[in-house]
Amino acid sequence: MTITAFNDGWAHRRKVSAFAELGGVREDWTTVTLPHDALIGTPRRADAPGGAAAGYFPGGAFEYRKDLLVEESDRGRCFFLEFDGVYRGAMVYVNGALAGQHAFGYSRFTVRIDPFLRFGGVNEIRVECRAHLDGRWYTGAGIYRDVRLIVKEPVHIAVDGVRISTPDIEPDRAVVEIVAEVVNTGAVTTTAVLASAVDDEGRAEVARDRSPVTVPPGERAIVRHRLYVEDPALWDVDTPSLYTARLLLRDGDRVLDEHTVEFGVRRVQVDPRKGLRINGRTVKLRGACLHHDNGPLGAAAIERAEERRVESLKAAGFNAIRSSHNPVGSALLRACDRLGMLVMDETFDVWTSGKTDFDYAGDFAEWWERDVEALVAKDFNHPSVILYSIGNEIPETGTPFGGVWSRRIAEKVRSLDDTRLITNGVNGFVSVLDVVLAGARQATSAEPPAGGGGVNGMMTQAAVMMNQVSASEEVTGRTEESFSVLDVAGMNYGDGRYELDRELFPGRVIVGTETFPVRAAQNWSLVLANDHVIGDFTWTGWDYLGEAGLGSVGYGDSDERTASVAQPYPWLTAWCGDIDITGQRRPVSYYREIVFGLRSTPYIAVRRPRHHGRTVLATPWSWSDAIGSWTWEGFEGKPVHVEVYSDADEVELLLDGTTVGRRPAGPDHGFRADFELSYAPGELVAVAYTGGREQGRFGLVTAGEALALDVRADRSDLRADSGDLAFVDIVLTDGAGNAHPGRDRPVTVTVDGPAVLQALGSADPATEETFSGPSRRTFDGRALAVIRPTGAGDITVTVHADGCGTARLALRAGAVEAVERDALVP
């Protein structure tokens, strides 16, 4: 049995039918390495059908092809292609014959291809897919997650056929139950022996078992092993200890199959008195909603990019991720397992009622069970996954038949996995949307509400009244059945129900599945004050492509009412993440870290002085446009607004040692103090005091006149495989480490050696520049280059910008070494 990465050697193009080619239509094939987003490199345009929701990308149909050489000696073996995700409507062809298909764009699926192979020759694998008005955000397109080629003997362990649980855990011993499905596709009954072993993190074997299994032709058999691990190392967010299970299937001396699975020993419990407990310890979820795209990389879920996101989110104080609004990929789950990040994995954004013209609602009735099965099969062995969410803002949840579907989906999940909790991101406003719309139609004014953007636009107008709607008797009655089927009631923008439901539904456990960033302090105080509320997930932890302008900040005259949640072209990103699309923390991230109680040092953010005194137009998803800089060339002597975030009693602000003012801060004042002063270059320092004593200080220094490039990679030693990346931060500085946010200019990047420039971009939320070229303008003095190895050897990255010279960076890609383990013998 072999499992190999199947990511190299592909070519892609816009889909062209044979009939179109006969008519003279030509599209060239381009060589690509998977994971790959076919959409990110296409030109955007203002009249793109998806508009702001899709980031003004036009969509389209795409096809991929790759040759596979199969030896004659492989005849009789089973061949599978495992796709971790193809967006969308995937059609898989082998030598021109349809071998399999999958409608949903976010599920892992497997296609058996040996019936279509030519043994002893070259075979063409072709995959078709498309993206077209079927998402409320930037979906990307193509084979955007990993593909694996799996080759097995006729008698083998089924693909996704190993499930590991830890049903009984004590301090001195844990029971590890390994359930393996053995399949016989051959013509004769076979009796084989399945051996299993568990290794600890040091690769020492700590338990083993074996048993014979007889499988008649065309049948499947389940083998269960109960192994006992002494003094188990438990998995949690602080100590993410992982064990490795190894399975070996033999027929006499002949190895039929082998399989390796990483897993964790941990227990998940929940109740309204002790909340969520991991291994008996109460944990409050400091959660980040997370869309699937990787900014400059588009939707491509390259292993290192997923790992870096988890690292950055954890460093910013988050301990949980909610995949929004679709199943997360395997690469991100592996990172969460290794790094200690809890996961709420979400199924669908729609059930039977569509939200866009051609979305999954048209496929739901036929495909939902298979997609739930795929979700659970992917997640089962990942200790990071503690919650399944069966939907997001599903309108049906406020109807009786929505209760029927809620129960069907929840019980389907439980039938596959009863070890995890089930929730649903229910938005009370959406659940009674029919009532809201009816009221809007009866309104005396015929003028449409400002803000645009469909439901999001309505929510912008209704943000102040959201809690009133969510806490209304109408929502209470209409969502009761949908909530009743869940282990944890997920509430989007429904914090008005938290204390109410403690009285109305004493057994109800709640999680804030989606909340406004501007209410971070209020929401977290509710989480801490209520045992039955287990956490809060902000929208969003990481900025994303599409829903362009959702968190925008604009300026206008005093009679303008609100900002729009759908900004015009060339807006690109939502601009509502704690972390921007290049991985840089925005001021709201430091604010949230303080609210979480994880940071005692204050933080200074300065609003852009060119807008001082103008009316701010913001959405409920907006933060201020402040940045962490005291370099504002051309604004000397002009007024500027300074925000200081702190959990201390009060904050003193000093400019070059002279007190500007002293203001109260801490929880009673929203964890912030605001100051007005005139800008003057120098050193701006915030000093936090609690009980009259200094608690901490933070300073910003004006950048000097010099201009230089500061170029740094997150890692200099890479693996020589397509799953690794180097993220290179490019900053315009004064040579002493102080950034120049006001001197933006194009930077050009070249790569020499066995690597390519995979992407070059900035965090600019509104730009016509692409991520695929060698040059890109900085934003607030910063840009990001992403380097992808193509082989082993030395790599040189050269960055040039007019007026600040050239910078070079040395990287090295090394060969991947195999991990040696003792042989497992039955």
Side-chain angles (χ1 to χ4, degrees):
M1 187 277 296
T2 60
I3 300 177
T4 56
F6 205 62
N7 289 337
D8 296 330
W10 289 84
H12 102 290
R13 67 177 184 178
R14 281 195 174 271
K15 183 179 180 297
V16 178
S17 72
F19 295 97
E21 288 190 293
L22 283 174
V25 177
R26 295 285 184 269
E27 283 283 345
D28 293 333
W29 291 91
T30 302
T31 300
V32 296
T33 301
L34 306 181
H36 172 260
D37 181 358
L39 200 57
I40 193 65
T42 61
R44 298 193 302 140
R45 63 176 197 263
D47 63 347
Y56 298 99
F57 283 90
F62 304 91
E63 57 184 338
Y64 291 75
R65 72 179 184 189
K66 175 182 169 70
D67 288 339
L68 172 63
L69 173 63
V70 181
E71 302 294 342
E72 179 62 36
S73 58
D74 285 323
R75 188 180 296 275
R77 292 192 172 99
C78 302
F79 282 70
F80 304 89
L81 286 178
E82 183 181 71
F83 296 88
D84 210 54
V86 179
Y87 201 89
R88 180 180 180 265
M91 307 280 283
V92 181
Y93 297 87
V94 179
N95 297 322
L98 180 65
Q101 64 185 109
H102 204 91
F104 197 33
Y106 301 104
S107 283
R108 188 168 79 185
F109 65 96
T110 301
V111 176
R112 185 173 175 183
I113 63 172
D114 52 281
F116 309 96
L117 293 176
R118 291 191 290 261
F119 291 89
V122 175
N123 300 265
E124 183 191 62
I125 310 297
R126 187 162 53 87
V127 180
E128 296 180 1
C129 54
R130 49 87 176 164
H132 174 57
L133 295 179
D134 49 13
R136 297 188 299 119
W137 49 83
Y138 175 82
T139 62
I143 311 177
Y144 70 100
R145 291 177 181 168
D146 290 311
V147 181
R148 301 194 303 170
L149 175 65
I150 303 172
V151 182
K152 290 178 175 280
E153 298 294 333
V155 179
H156 59 263
I157 300 168
V159 177
D160 279 332
V162 177
R163 299 194 177 190
I164 302 175
S165 60
T166 54
D168 187 358
I169 303 171
E170 295 182 358
D172 61 343
R173 181 277 285 145
V175 175
V176 176
E177 183 172 81
I178 299 176
V179 178
E181 183 180 10
V182 180
V183 180
N184 185 354
T185 64
V188 297
T189 298
T190 300
T191 298
V193 175
L194 181 71
S196 62
V198 172
D199 298 344
D200 63 17
E201 287 188 301
R203 306 304 182 193
E205 186 176 292
V206 295
R208 66 162 48 208
D209 198 358
R210 55 164 281 164
S211 59
V213 52
T214 300
V215 192
E219 294 193 15
R220 298 167 178 255
I222 298 297
V223 180
R224 296 179 185 271
H225 288 171
R226 285 175 65 89
L227 283 71
Y228 302 90
V229 175
E230 303 296 325
D231 302 318
L234 303 184
W235 187 98
D236 65 22
V237 293
D238 298 321
T239 56
S241 302
L242 292 173
Y243 288 87
T244 301
R246 292 180 291 137
L247 287 81
L248 182 68
L249 184 67
R250 279 183 179 268
D251 180 7
D253 293 332
R254 182 162 161 252
V255 174
L256 299 177
D257 207 349
E258 298 178 80
H259 197 73
T260 301
V261 181
E262 284 192 325
F263 69 97
V265 178
R266 59 108 178 92
R267 179 173 61 250
V268 178
Q269 299 165 282
V270 72
D271 65 62
R273 188 170 65 86
K274 295 183 179 179
L276 173 70
R277 284 175 288 161
I278 309 292
N279 301 323
R281 180 174 66 92
T282 297
V283 175
K284 295 287 190 179
L285 298 177
R286 305 188 300 270
C289 294
L290 190 67
H291 260 311
H292 72 291
D293 75 76
N294 269 303
L297 296 170
I302 301 172
E303 183 105 17
R304 173 56 192 161
E306 302 289 73
E307 180 181 62
R308 176 176 177 259
R309 280 205 292 176
V310 178
E311 289 173 347
S312 299
L313 288 165
K314 189 163 186 180
F318 293 108
N319 66 3
I321 286 170
R322 174 193 178 211
S323 70
S324 310
H325 303 292
N326 44 258
V328 76
S330 300
L332 192 135
L333 288 183
R334 289 192 294 270
C336 291
D337 290 344
R338 292 192 302 269
L339 298 170
M341 181 70 79
L342 301 170
V343 176
M344 176 194 297
D345 205 0
E346 196 152 84
T347 51
F348 312 116
D349 186 50
V350 294
W351 292 351
T352 62
S353 178
K355 296 177 181 177
T356 59
D357 289 349
F358 300 102
D359 63 20
Y360 181 72
D363 300 305
F364 178 82
E366 179 182 354
W367 282 91
W368 75 270
E369 285 193 89
R370 281 172 284 183
D371 286 318
V372 167
E373 289 165 0
L375 171 79
V376 173
K378 170 180 61 69
D379 289 6
F380 195 95
N381 297 322
H382 290 283
S384 55
V385 180
I386 62 167
L387 283 154
Y388 294 120
S389 170
I390 61 174
N392 169 69
E393 295 183 347
I394 305 296
E396 297 97 301
T397 52
T399 69
F401 276 98
V404 171
W405 275 112
S406 296
R407 197 175 305 278
R408 284 175 182 165
I409 300 170
E411 291 308 316
K412 175 67 176 182
V413 174
R414 290 187 177 104
S415 73
L416 300 167
D417 183 359
D418 62 359
T419 70
R420 291 177 171 88
L421 306 170
I422 297 175
T423 188
N424 189 355
V426 175
N427 186 322
F429 185 91
V430 174
S431 297
V432 296
L433 197 56
D434 55 337
V435 175
V436 174
L437 288 171
R441 295 188 193 103
Q442 295 173 6
T444 55
S445 172
E447 181 183 352
V455 173
N456 282 348
M458 295 182 66
M459 288 170 65
T460 295
Q461 292 299 300
V464 175
M465 56 174 274
M466 283 290 283
N467 281 331
Q468 293 176 327
V469 173
S470 294
S472 67
E473 290 185 10
E474 184 84 11
V475 170
T476 299
R478 288 181 53 171
T479 60
E480 185 174 3
E481 183 175 6
S482 291
F483 277 133
S484 72
V485 308
L486 307 173
D487 303 308
V488 178
M491 296 185 182
N492 287 14
Y493 311 108
D495 51 280
R497 295 210 64 92
Y498 293 1
E499 294 182 334
L500 175 67
D501 282 3
R502 184 179 57 202
E503 308 302 324
L504 291 178
F505 305 99
R508 181 175 286 181
V509 178
I510 294 172
V511 63
T513 35
E514 192 168 317
T515 61
F516 294 123
V518 293
R519 291 185 57 82
Q522 299 96 314
N523 286 331
W524 193 245
S525 67
L526 286 169
V527 172
L528 296 179
N530 291 279
D531 294 335
H532 70 294
V533 181
I534 65 173
D536 177 86
F537 286 80
T538 187
W539 191 265
T540 57
W542 198 285
D543 197 21
Y544 58 97
L545 306 177
E547 289 194 312
L550 180 72
S552 60
V553 177
Y555 297 89
D557 299 326
S558 58
D559 61 344
E560 295 191 49
R561 290 176 294 176
T562 183
S564 172
V565 298
Q567 290 290 341
Y569 180 85
W571 268 80
L572 171 64
T573 77
W575 199 236
C576 63
D578 279 28
I579 299 174
D580 69 33
I581 62 169
T582 70
Q584 294 295 319
R585 294 177 66 178
R586 300 174 65 204
V588 62
S589 173
Y590 297 97
Y591 176 82
R592 193 180 309 279
E593 189 180 14
I594 290 167
V595 168
F596 282 156
L598 302 176
R599 178 187 173 103
S600 58
T601 303
Y603 184 82
I604 300 174
V606 182
R607 295 184 188 174
R608 301 174 196 273
R610 69 178 179 271
H611 299 302
H612 191 275
R614 301 182 68 193
T615 300
V616 177
L617 305 175
T619 81
W621 294 274
S622 302
W623 197 251
S624 77
D625 72 344
I627 64 172
S629 177
W630 192 240
T631 302
W632 301 101
E633 294 173 285
F635 291 93
E636 290 79 6
K638 295 184 178 179
V640 65
H641 189 104
V642 175
E643 303 170 358
V644 181
Y645 313 141
S646 176
D647 63 351
D649 294 342
E650 55 182 351
V651 171
E652 181 182 22
L653 189 67
L654 303 99
L655 179 57
D656 287 336
T658 301
T659 297
V660 173
R662 195 161 174 148
R663 303 278 189 276
D668 292 340
H669 297 273
F671 294 94
R672 62 183 286 168
D674 290 81
F675 299 86
E676 291 279 344
L677 64 153
S678 295
Y679 173 68
E683 183 180 23
L684 189 69
V685 176
V687 184
Y689 297 93
T690 295
R693 292 189 169 189
E694 181 177 328
Q695 175 179 304
R697 62 175 57 206
F698 178 84
L700 298 173
V701 177
T702 303
E705 285 299 318
L707 188 63
L709 283 169
D710 187 351
V711 179
R712 303 184 184 187
D714 61 335
R715 292 144 60 249
S716 58
D717 292 321
L718 310 176
R719 301 186 316 273
D721 68 51
S722 59
D724 207 357
L725 300 166
F727 289 86
V728 179
D729 287 316
I730 303 167
V731 188
L732 301 174
T733 75
D734 61 359
N738 302 303
H740 274 291
R743 296 192 187 180
D744 287 321
R745 63 201 57 214
V747 296
T748 300
V749 178
T750 57
V751 180
D752 297 302
V756 295
L757 177 63
Q758 186 72 23
L760 176 63
S762 76
D764 191 347
T767 176
E768 292 189 277
E769 295 180 288
T770 71
F771 297 114
S772 56
S775 297
R776 180 69 185 259
R777 187 174 179 84
T778 58
F779 175 72
D780 285 341
R782 294 181 174 274
L784 177 75
V786 186
I787 313 301
R788 193 175 194 180
T790 57
D794 294 324
I795 302 164
T796 301
V797 180
T798 304
V799 184
H800 175 78
D802 290 344
C804 49
T806 299
R808 290 181 176 81
L809 187 68
L811 308 173
R812 179 166 181 77
V816 180
E817 297 182 3
V819 177
E820 297 266 344
R821 286 197 180 96
D822 293 337
L824 179 60
V825 180

